[in-house]
Amino acid sequence: MVSPIYIIAVLLGIAFLLGLFKQPGAKFARLAAIVTLAFPAFVSVSWLVHFILNPAEPFMVYTAGALPPFSINLKMGLEEAFMTSAVNLLGFFGFMYLNKTMRVQGTKAVVLFMILIMGMNVVIMTRDIFNLFVFLE
């Protein structure tokens, strides 16, 4: 199984890189965003299928090799897999629906949309009130 931390890493990393492109790269930014938004949807749906077929203990992720409060603490269980699957699938299909609007708005709107999806994923998976506050912002 792919670790849920990659949902954050991929969305944040690609959103940061897309911020470096100017308006002429808007078509590439939209294409990159579609591919990037498909990845978290795949990860969360694969976790959902895993938990439905094999009832198991939730998977805990601790970043930075430390325990909380010195790291981001994420939990992926059946409930989190269901909610992140819903968020990521709605985000993917929502972006496809908003593709024409994103073309007019430009790369900054694409980056903002990707950061929004990433923030909602972390709000669902986090077990730390500080990180909840950070990703709500």
Side-chain angles (χ1 to χ4, degrees), residues 1-24:
M1 301 298 309
V2 178
S3 178
I5 196 72
Y6 289 116
I7 293 174
I8 301 166
V10 168
L11 285 171
L12 187 61
I14 299 299
F16 175 76
L17 291 176
L18 289 180
L20 300 176
F21 288 98
K22 299 295 181 207
Q23 192 63 22

Side-chain angles (χ1 to χ4, degrees), residues 65-128:
L67 294 175
F70 303 110
S71 68
I72 297 175
N73 181 16
L74 302 175
K75 176 184 172 187
M76 182 60 86
L78 178 62
E79 296 85 7
E80 290 84 8
F82 176 74
M83 291 304 294
T84 57
S85 295
V87 165
N88 290 323
L89 288 172
L90 286 172
F92 176 75
F93 290 119
F95 189 84
M96 297 294 283
Y97 177 76
L98 292 171
N99 199 11
K100 184 184 281 188
T101 304
M102 293 293 178
R103 179 181 12 228
V104 173
Q105 296 296 324
T107 306
K108 291 180 182 179
V110 173
V111 170
L112 184 63
F113 189 84
M114 290 175 61
I115 295 297
L116 172 71
I117 299 298
M118 182 209 55
M120 287 192 296
N121 277 291
V122 175
V123 165
I124 292 168
M125 292 186 292
T126 192
R127 299 287 155 235
D128 184 1

Side-chain angles (χ1 to χ4, degrees), residues 5 7 16 19-20 29-31 36-37 44 46 54 58 63-64 75 81 84 86 89 97 109 117 136-137:
I5 196 72
I7 293 174
F16 175 76
L20 300 176
R30 287 191 322 274
L31 179 65
T36 304
L37 287 168
S44 58
S46 68
N54 311 331
T63 60
K75 176 184 172 187
T84 57
L89 288 172
Y97 177 76
I117 299 298
L136 277 175
E137 277 191 18

Side-chain angles (χ1 to χ4, degrees), residues 33-43 92:
I34 290 170
V35 172
T36 304
L37 287 168
F39 177 75
F42 167 75
V43 171
F92 176 75

